[in-house]
Amino acid sequence: MAEQVAAVCDQLVRAVNVTMDAETSQIYRLEALKFCEQFKESSTLCVPCGLQLADRTQPAVVRHFGLQILEHVIKFRWNNMQQQEKVQLKECAMQLLSDGTLSILEEESHIKDGLSRIVVEMIKREWPQHWPDMLKEMEALTSQGAAQTELVMLILLRLAEDVITFQTLPIQRRRDIQQTLTQNMDSLFSFMMAILQINVEDYRKLNKLFGHELQARGHCRVAVATLNTLAGYIDWVSLVHITSRNCHLLEILCLLLSEPELQLEAAECLLIAISRKGKLEDRKPFMLLFDDEAIHYILSAAQSADGLAICRKSSESPAVEVVERRYVFLKRLCQVLCALGVQLCSLVGSDVEAEIPANLNKYMEALLAFTTHSSQFLKASTLPTWAFLFRHETLSKEAVVVKMAIKYLRACMTNLVKTGFPSRDDNPSCEYSRVDFDSDEDFNSFFNSFRAQQGDALRCACRIVPLEAFQIAAEWLKYQITSPIDTGNTTSRAAEGLCSFLSPSVVQWDAMTIFMECVVAQMFKNVEEEALPINQGVDLLQALLEYNTKDPLILSCVLTNISALFPFVIRRQHFLPQFLYKLFKAVTFEVEQVNKAPRTRAVKNIRRHACSSIIKICRDYPQFILPCFDMFYNEVKKLFSGDSMPTHLEKCSLMEALVLISNQFKDFAKQKAFLDELMESVIKEWTSEEMKHVLSDPAVFLAFVGADQVLMEQSKDVDTAGLNRGRVSFCLYAMLGVVKRAHWPADLEEAKAGNFVVGYTPAGAPIYRNPCTAHFLVLLPNLFTAIRTLNSLFLPENTARLSETFSRAHDLMDADKNVSLGLPQHPLDIYDAPVCRTNLERMQGFFTSLYENCLHVLGNAGLSLQQEFYSIERLAEEIAGSAFTSLDHVPDHRLRPMIHILIHLLLLHLVLSCPQEHYDRVLCPLLGPLFSYMLQRLNAKWQIISQRTSMNDDDDEEEVVCQGSQVTQEMLEEQLVRLLTRDVLDLVSVSCISKKMPEPSANKEEVDDEDMMDAAQAASPAQPTDELTELGKCLMKQENIFMTLLTLSFTSLSWKDTTSCNRAASTVCWSLLRQVVGGNLLPEAVTWIFASVLKGLQVHGQHEVCNASLSQLAMLIYENLRPRYMELRAVMTQIPNINVEALDQYDHRLINPSAQKVGDKKRKDQFKKLIAGTVEKALCQQFRKEVHIRNLPSLFKKPKPDKDIVNSEELGLAALFSPESKSL
């Protein structure tokens, strides 16, 4: 036997060396691997060979393989081994722990890990029932030396991870082990604390003695392992163990923060402890960490680490680099302080009556030190805590917090400045950014999120000290106005002397602008009118209006500041004309260029920014702008007729602003007369014979817009087709602006006086008329014609008319492709580059905006005109005959805008309670065919995707040969189908289902994970309580529409999109089915519905969220329909590996009213087990060998009573109410 083992071991050693030799050929390596795997799977000599290979005299690689063999035996053969074999293997493993390793510093970490895995695998199978002394044996091992102590810590840590964190055991074994750990937690914690203290003391003593460095490092290694193990337990044990003995554990951890070799692990333990949730009274002891001593330890450790976090790369070079371990420690300390702040905010002002710490100011100074640190990550980490403090009802009124709010505002002035790009060296934070971020784009994405969080905390601080915040903002603005522009070393490529996106002046103006916006908004909300600094605000506004710059990036900031300060204009109205002139001047802003290059994005943004500011002011303060209406109108006319050449979009924006002001006329005749004048040229253009001819014929339309012409990019000819496209676009932009903005007065009395009310509904609601209705009705016929023609452009005969230049004119634009595929957007210097679009890009943009604007006009007409719109003759037929024509040829990305607009329209109209008659006359005739068509279309699309997936699985070689562009195109198509599917389901949901928010549970405490077993069970979604909307009820009355909705909802469960599946299962399916569940459904329909849910489980069951919602849906259907439909049982019996006996029991309880009922949770678990066979394994699990761990006799079963207490003993309560009782 020994010779045979030696021979096999020799072969295994050679095989292992072959696999690890870099010079080995692939064929030999595969043969060696195959031999090793076959040996593990089938050999009877695994245990003796594994033990021999694991001997410490062998090389580390061989020893590791020996340990792997032993682990494999325990995991996959344990259940078939004899008891004596198990005991022998366990004794051998303990012997390996005792003397099978090298010294703690010499031994490889993967050997230690392999040993700990073996022992933990045995513990998972045998403890505590068959190995009751395991903890005592582990404790005994620690007396043998540092190496054994470290191994014991690794075993305890892996045990906690497997049982609690990863939960890799069956439920009963997990419960047995966890409850035994919990019962022994006092002694276990005392044991770990003793090990920690002994090794820390020994490390400190020996570290000071010359010649004892190796021993000191050994004790340090044990202390680190113990801290890591404690971290694995602190996360879930009862808070009592953490806070016992006056928070002794936390005190030790604070002391260890000053030990350079242990401080990181100590900080991580401290962070986990302080971040714990739970009952407030259990968390109250955490307030001890606000003592001077604890705060001192944290502060001194932070100061020491900060000094060591940056070091010089070499003595000759001034360049520095971040010491990563010190920097990570700083992050943990920062997070500890933040977690302390969260505990403080939870406890102060609560029922536990925690007092405000005396040294709160010291704590906040420490937090502020991290907020002002060079690292952007550390700054960002503190923001939520500041927001908590400034929002807190009690703390925010404390004098020290008010004082700190002002300091925080000063710190924000620096933090809002966008600096620290990893590719640059213009700021100390760049060095830290190189550690935290992979690229400038990564940093930019982080900083945008960081700035949004800063805005939140800044607004909270401004609520406490609004006037002081405004003083700081005013000083900063004045400083920026008087400072010369510094372009830095990154000037613009557009024109000489202009700033770039990262120029010093731009980043300062940008930061100041955000600060000013936050401050002014909060000041007007939180300061009494008489206390407002009106004169100071007006002075600032005057300075801004007089400030002139030709730099577009800085001018953009100036415009934002002007808009932010507009509330001061309301209080000093003589500034209004000057204010408007400044904005009008920006509408036509240009940069002086030698060559006539296209406008940069920054210039275009300035002009749009000015238009948006004008619209915003006219929308929010129309009554204040009304006195200046004539001046405003004349200025617009000048812009339209002058040489400044605003774009069509800019013209329409100004028209929108005029319409918003005209709503304040509150006189129907006057407003209509104004709109007649405003829209005269648009109506004339749109209804002309030429335009009718162009819009009604696809071939003529393509020729009119130039899509059938072959063009050269640098052609100097007059672009007649471009002008034609502009004419069509302008008409639609103008139409949209007027329809969207024209409205009647909100006040009923004013509407009556202005002649806007034309009658009342039977319910007594007023019927209004819109002054733009007449104009819209004139434009509507050609609008329908345009939509019909745009849809028909996708017909083969019309796509054939596209020239070579514009053959891809109907494709998705690159920017939209990137959004759909989740690819990164433009680089940071995009504002600098001229917007040089190709002819193709212009045409793509034209077709996209034209189609969307046509649909937006229709959508907004419904919202603005309401009764007048829905009363249009044959409206449903006209919409169907235009928007729904040629849909088979319309690509998915063109269909999505139509679905979006329908969702928007329905959402708002259901709120506005659109009259019932319009549902029957307009919405049902539109939605019915649309849902039917989308079901057919999506079904076909998903079938193609499924076929493509199965073909790729069958032929992997074809995938390799496949071109990258083709793969990208397929990915894009699939993603668009997913997005369209989600949109359609949203439309179903919005149309039919009225959301009901669940009732919040009364005074629900934050609960800790004390009962891990219950927490481990993912809570199934509650039974949906959503009801049908009025429109949904209307759709339900029409059987064909309702069946389409049901079919669409249940079919979508098995389409390969988890988001759609979860949405349909959790929201839509049961809400629709519940309406007919009591009716007479065909057995075939019931079978199909239930089978659809099971098919969804087959496709998506491996995803936890989908599994929960689909299982809940399946149970609702089965329990509601099984009593009347035997066919459902037949479906259930087809589930693979179903337990028929368990199914019979479940059915018996369901059908028999007298049967004993079980609780909801147990019922759900039983049903989930019944249908478990439907769930396909995830791809990552399909080839994984199953590990089976048998349950042991339960330790914690409640004993059943031996006798019938009710019949055998006389109960006081029964006697009290017995007829014989005379005592009453």
Side-chain angles (χ1 to χ4, degrees), residues 824-936:
Q825 291 301 301
H826 304 290
L828 295 172
D829 59 358
I830 184 168
Y831 293 93
D832 244 358
V835 186
C836 299
R837 295 202 300 171
T838 63
N839 289 316
L840 174 61
E841 287 171 335
R842 287 196 191 93
M843 190 64 76
Q844 284 178 329
F846 168 72
F847 279 135
T848 302
S849 63
L850 193 65
Y851 188 75
E852 291 182 5
N853 284 341
C854 284
L855 294 172
H856 277 299
V857 171
L858 270 185
N860 281 282
L863 299 175
S864 297
L865 276 56
Q866 294 186 15
Q867 286 274 5
E868 293 176 299
F869 176 73
Y870 287 107
S871 303
I872 293 170
E873 283 296 317
R874 301 185 70 253
L875 178 63
E877 291 87 342
E878 289 288 353
I879 294 174
S882 53
F884 294 176
T885 55
S886 311
L887 285 186
D888 283 337
H889 300 280
V890 176
D892 291 337
H893 65 267
R894 280 282 195 272
L895 261 185
R896 290 190 66 212
M898 182 168 73
I899 305 292
H900 283 165
I901 288 158
L902 274 170
I903 291 170
H904 180 64
L905 192 112
L906 289 170
L907 265 174
L908 287 170
H909 264 290
L910 295 177
V911 172
L912 293 169
S913 302
C914 188
Q916 181 89 26
E917 63 268 20
H918 296 320
Y919 290 167
D920 292 320
R921 201 176 64 81
V922 179
L923 292 180
C924 289
L926 285 177
L927 290 175
L930 180 64
F931 285 135
S932 180
Y933 172 73
M934 291 313 301
L935 169 62
Q936 171 198 334

Side-chain angles (χ1 to χ4, degrees), residues 349-527:
S350 69
D351 295 338
V352 298
E353 298 177 357
E355 293 181 5
I356 296 172
N359 62 356
L360 178 60
N361 189 52
K362 195 172 182 181
Y363 165 77
M364 288 193 296
E365 288 289 355
L367 193 63
L368 187 68
F370 280 106
T371 307
T372 53
H373 194 273
S374 297
S375 162
Q376 300 286 13
F377 181 89
L378 291 176
K379 292 176 183 178
S381 300
T382 64
L383 292 177
T385 308
W386 285 119
F388 276 133
L389 284 168
F390 295 145
R391 274 200 201 100
H392 196 276
E393 193 175 345
T394 306
L395 292 170
S396 62
K397 293 169 186 168
E398 287 292 303
V400 288
V401 177
V402 172
K403 194 175 175 184
M404 184 54 67
I406 297 170
K407 288 186 179 180
Y408 176 77
L409 290 169
R410 294 276 178 197
C412 283
M413 293 173 67
T414 306
N415 293 353
L416 284 166
V417 178
K418 187 183 273 193
T419 52
F421 283 92
S423 66
R424 299 167 69 86
D425 279 308
D426 55 358
N427 193 279
S429 63
C430 295
E431 204 60 55
Y432 291 99
S433 293
R434 279 191 272 280
V435 175
D436 289 324
F437 307 104
D438 294 329
S439 64
D440 283 358
E441 283 72 22
D442 190 17
F443 172 81
N444 194 52
S445 175
F446 154 81
F447 197 88
N448 291 337
S449 168
F450 169 46
R451 189 176 266 181
Q453 284 183 298
Q454 283 189 87
D456 184 39
L458 180 56
R459 282 187 284 273
C460 294
C462 290
R463 288 184 202 121
I464 301 175
V465 285
L467 292 174
E468 292 86 345
F470 182 71
Q471 292 300 326
I472 294 170
E475 288 169 21
W476 196 1
L477 177 57
K478 285 176 189 170
Y479 175 78
Q480 287 303 128
I481 288 173
T482 54
S483 298
I485 291 178
D486 179 4
T487 59
N489 55 6
T490 55
T491 53
S492 170
R493 289 176 290 169
E496 198 173 335
L498 296 183
C499 292
S500 76
F501 190 60
L502 298 174
S503 293
S505 284
V506 170
V507 294
Q508 286 290 334
W509 267 99
D510 189 36
M512 183 274 298
T513 301
I514 291 165
F515 191 89
M516 180 65 78
E517 279 190 295
C518 293
V519 166
V520 173
Q522 292 306 315
M523 183 179 69
F524 278 100
K525 284 180 186 173
N526 295 287
V527 177

Side-chain angles (χ1 to χ4, degrees), residues 762-988:
I767 298 174
Y768 297 98
R769 59 175 178 165
N770 193 309
C772 77
T773 302
H775 314 94
F776 174 73
L777 292 177
V778 172
L779 299 167
L780 187 59
N782 269 8
L783 180 66
F784 284 138
T785 305
I787 295 171
R788 191 182 307 113
T789 298
L790 285 171
N791 276 7
S792 68
L793 293 182
F794 299 99
L795 293 171
E797 61 267 26
N798 291 326
T799 53
R801 291 190 171 101
L802 294 173
S803 69
E804 187 182 341
T805 309
F806 300 115
S807 59
R808 292 175 46 240
H810 297 315
D811 287 4
L812 194 61
M813 295 175 73
D814 286 343
D816 296 331
K817 267 184 199 171
N818 291 341
V819 170
S820 297
L821 292 170
L823 296 176
Q825 291 301 301
H826 304 290
L828 295 172
D829 59 358
I830 184 168
Y831 293 93
D832 244 358
V835 186
C836 299
R837 295 202 300 171
T838 63
N839 289 316
L840 174 61
E841 287 171 335
R842 287 196 191 93
M843 190 64 76
Q844 284 178 329
F846 168 72
F847 279 135
T848 302
S849 63
L850 193 65
Y851 188 75
E852 291 182 5
N853 284 341
C854 284
L855 294 172
H856 277 299
V857 171
L858 270 185
N860 281 282
L863 299 175
S864 297
L865 276 56
Q866 294 186 15
Q867 286 274 5
E868 293 176 299
F869 176 73
Y870 287 107
S871 303
I872 293 170
E873 283 296 317
R874 301 185 70 253
L875 178 63
E877 291 87 342
E878 289 288 353
I879 294 174
S882 53
F884 294 176
T885 55
S886 311
L887 285 186
D888 283 337
H889 300 280
V890 176
D892 291 337
H893 65 267
R894 280 282 195 272
L895 261 185
R896 290 190 66 212
M898 182 168 73
I899 305 292
H900 283 165
I901 288 158
L902 274 170
I903 291 170
H904 180 64
L905 192 112
L906 289 170
L907 265 174
L908 287 170
H909 264 290
L910 295 177
V911 172
L912 293 169
S913 302
C914 188
Q916 181 89 26
E917 63 268 20
H918 296 320
Y919 290 167
D920 292 320
R921 201 176 64 81
V922 179
L923 292 180
C924 289
L926 285 177
L927 290 175
L930 180 64
F931 285 135
S932 180
Y933 172 73
M934 291 313 301
L935 169 62
Q936 171 198 334
R937 178 178 179 128
L938 289 172
N939 237 337
K941 295 268 184 184
W942 282 110
Q943 279 178 10
I944 292 168
I945 290 171
S946 297
Q947 287 166 7
R948 188 186 291 158
T949 308
S950 59
M951 282 168 63
N952 287 347
D953 290 344
D954 295 340
D955 191 0
D956 291 336
E957 290 180 19
E958 191 178 332
E959 184 73 22
V960 177
V961 179
C962 191
Q963 293 296 318
S965 59
Q966 185 185 337
V967 173
T968 306
Q969 185 58 32
E970 285 184 4
M971 286 169 58
L972 179 62
E973 287 171 10
E974 286 187 25
Q975 184 62 10
L976 287 170
V977 172
R978 284 191 185 91
L979 295 172
L980 183 60
T981 304
R982 293 170 197 175
D983 292 340
V984 171
L985 284 171
D986 280 345
L987 181 58
V988 173

Side-chain angles (χ1 to χ4, degrees), residues 991-1011:
S991 307
C992 302
I993 297 161
S994 172
K995 294 268 182 253
K996 273 195 174 179
M997 296 305 289
E999 290 289 324
S1001 34
N1003 299 327
K1004 193 172 183 182
E1005 280 278 13
E1006 285 182 288
V1007 180
D1008 202 359
D1009 300 337
E1010 299 294 343
D1011 189 354

Side-chain angles (χ1 to χ4, degrees), residues 1093-1101 1107 1110-1111 1171 1174-1176:
V1093 182
L1094 298 183
K1095 192 177 176 186
L1097 269 168
Q1098 185 185 7
V1099 177
H1100 299 291
N1107 191 312
L1110 285 165
S1111 298
I1171 60 174
T1174 59
V1175 180
E1176 276 193 356

Side-chain angles (χ1 to χ4, degrees), residues 721-735:
L723 297 173
N724 290 338
R725 292 196 294 273
R727 287 164 60 191
V728 177
S729 295
F730 176 66
C731 289
L732 276 166
Y733 279 128
M735 213 184 298

